């Protein structure tokens, strides 16, 4: 599992990429920040948490903190242009009480939004305005970038409120089965789950299932199961007073030492240290 952060000393990052051939991500990964991905040209396939999405020009993909995701091209040698806007909790905290940050980021509960034609030019201009100021040393450039991000979030919330959820339309039979398995694992992560059981649910042989699971999600089967369990464990460490041993057991780990090893490999710190730094109650 790859855990990515923003560049050092940066709370916001804005980037535009335009290439003749669309690159694939090398592996599924997670962020400790929020990501707004606006596709301008080309087609993409996203896997986020347990769902597949087809992304077309003027679709926005919203990746929340901790969302596991992978993006791949749909057509080889197709021109690809996208904007990427990322920010972290420090940026949200810097807004003070002038804005309800929980309201602003509620849009990240949606994973894909279609930008209506009447809003496309204005959103595009917001991104380019932020790009033009992101490297400025003047404090007013920083203010301009912050305002662009806030306005973008406001507009995305408005779009989200006016649209129904839009999932993938062209999903194949085997992709649908893999997606169903991922949702099952997401819901029943604390129970005993084996590759053989999930292959049976997907109506595939274990070997074929393992291969298809990796190609669709970017994860090995065990890697994905560990990610889900550790993600739930981080939430419990922050939000409850259960002991680490109790949390390990609740999340499907009957060996607390093994749980600690997996947790450190994925999160980068021990469960004890993570709780000490992030405990909310």
């Amino acid at each position: 599992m790859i855990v990515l952060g923003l560049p050092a000393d940066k709370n916001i990052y804005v980037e535009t990429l335009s290439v003749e051939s669309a690159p694939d991500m090398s592996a599924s990964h997670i962020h400790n920040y929020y990501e707004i991905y606006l596709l301008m040209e080309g087609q993409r396939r996203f896997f986020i948490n347990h769902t597949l999405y087809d992304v077309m020009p003027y679709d926005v993909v919203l990746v929340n903190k901790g969302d596991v995701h992978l993006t791949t091209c749909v057509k080889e040698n197709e021109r690809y242009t996208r904007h990427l806007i990322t920010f972290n909790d420090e940026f949200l905290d810097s807004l003070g009480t002038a804005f309800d940050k929980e309201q602003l980021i509620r849009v990240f509960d949606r994973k894909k939004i279609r930008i209506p034609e009447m809003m496309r030019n204005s959103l595009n201009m917001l991104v380019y305005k932020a790009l033009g100021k992101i490297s400025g040393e003047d404090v007013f450039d920083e203010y301009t970038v912050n305002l662009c991000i806030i306005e973008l979030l406001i507009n995305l919330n408005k779009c989200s409120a006016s649209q129904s959820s839009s999932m993938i339309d062209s999903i194949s039979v085997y992709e649908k089965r893999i997606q169903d398995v991922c949702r099952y694992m997401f819901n029943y992560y604390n129970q005993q789950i084996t590759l053989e059981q999930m292959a049976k649910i997907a109506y595939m042989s274990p070997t074929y299932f393992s291969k298809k699971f990796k190609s669709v999600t970017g994860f090995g089967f065990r890697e994905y199961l560990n990610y889900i369990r550790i993600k739930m464990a981080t939430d419990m460490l922050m939000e409850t007073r259960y002991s680490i041993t109790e949390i390990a057991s609740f999340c499907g780990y009957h060996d607390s030492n093994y749980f600690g090893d997996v947790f450190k490999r994925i999160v980068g710190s021990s469960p004890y240290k993570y709780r000490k730094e992030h405990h909310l109650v």
Side-chain angles (χ1 to χ4, degrees):
M1 167 62 66
I2 303 171
V3 182
L4 300 180
L6 288 175
D9 302 321
K10 298 290 184 182
N11 293 331
I12 299 174
Y13 183 68
V14 184
E15 176 191 74
T16 290
L17 177 66
S18 185
V19 293
E20 292 298 329
S21 182
D24 287 344
M25 284 184 178
S26 58
S28 294
H29 63 272
I30 60 176
H31 302 152
N32 61 9
Y33 54 82
Y34 306 89
E35 176 180 291
I36 301 171
Y37 175 107
L38 173 56
L39 186 65
M40 306 301 292
E41 291 182 274
Q43 300 176 58
R44 302 295 285 178
R45 166 69 61 81
F46 267 81
F47 173 76
I48 307 177
N49 290 333
H50 51 65
T51 305
L52 289 162
Y53 301 90
D54 273 339
V55 182
M56 306 296 288
Y58 289 102
D59 283 343
V60 170
V61 177
L62 298 147
V63 182
N64 209 339
K65 290 190 310 176
D67 283 346
V68 59
H69 60 287
L70 177 78
T71 177
T72 57
C73 65
V74 175
K75 297 179 181 179
E76 293 185 3
N77 302 317
E78 179 184 49
R79 184 162 184 80
Y80 164 69
T81 302
R82 62 102 172 107
H83 299 315
L84 197 67
I85 303 95
T86 58
F87 58 90
N88 58 20
D89 284 321
E90 284 72 20
F91 162 72
L92 293 171
D93 291 340
S94 73
L95 301 179
T97 58
F99 298 91
D100 183 345
K101 68 178 184 179
E102 296 301 326
Q103 178 67 40
L104 286 175
I105 64 172
R106 194 168 298 164
V107 69
F108 284 87
D109 292 338
R110 288 284 298 274
K111 299 307 173 191
K112 189 177 83 168
I113 295 174
R114 181 75 174 163
I115 302 301
E117 189 171 352
M118 63 184 296
M119 292 184 64
R120 291 175 184 176
N121 285 338
S122 61
L123 289 186
N124 207 23
M125 290 304 296
L126 276 175
V127 175
Y128 280 112
K129 189 174 182 180
L131 272 170
K133 300 292 185 179
I134 193 70
S135 299
E137 297 181 359
D138 192 313
V139 67
F140 295 108
D141 289 337
E142 180 183 345
Y143 294 162
T144 299
V145 175
N146 289 356
L147 290 171
C148 287
I149 303 301
I150 293 167
E151 187 173 351
L152 180 62
L153 286 170
I154 290 170
N155 284 321
L156 291 176
N157 271 281
K158 290 180 179 178
C159 289
S160 176
S162 65
Q163 294 178 21
S164 60
S165 181
S166 177
M167 289 200 304
I168 193 169
D169 295 323
S170 59
I171 189 168
S172 68
V173 172
Y174 84 80
E175 288 170 330
K176 173 66 165 60
R177 292 175 183 173
I178 296 297
Q179 181 174 263
D180 289 344
V181 166
C182 288
R183 289 178 176 170
Y184 179 93
M185 294 169 70
F186 214 82
N187 289 327
Y188 299 101
Y189 63 90
N190 59 341
Q191 299 184 14
Q192 181 180 8
I193 294 177
T194 67
L195 185 145
E196 289 73 20
Q197 289 172 333
M198 298 303 101
K200 188 174 182 180
I201 289 176
Y203 300 101
M204 300 177 189
S205 71
T207 301
Y208 187 72
F209 169 78
S210 181
K211 179 181 177 181
K212 289 302 181 183
F213 192 94
K214 177 72 173 180
S215 68
V216 170
T217 68
F219 275 102
F221 170 79
R222 177 58 58 179
E223 182 186 15
Y224 181 75
L225 179 59
N226 278 331
Y227 163 74
I228 295 170
R229 288 174 168 173
I230 296 303
K231 176 64 172 66
M232 300 304 175
T234 60
D235 292 343
M236 293 187 71
L237 286 167
M238 286 191 297
E239 298 170 4
T240 76
R241 296 185 183 276
Y242 290 118
S243 71
I244 291 173
T245 299
E246 289 172 324
I247 290 173
S249 179
F250 181 83
C251 292
Y253 295 100
H254 302 298
D255 183 336
S256 59
N257 290 327
Y258 176 68
F259 165 71
D261 290 342
V262 175
F263 191 98
K264 188 170 184 179
R265 185 171 71 245
I266 292 177
V267 178
S269 65
S270 69
Y272 174 80
K273 184 178 180 182
Y274 186 88
R275 165 169 273 177
K276 187 175 180 180
E277 294 175 349
H278 298 90
H279 202 208
L280 302 176
V281 296

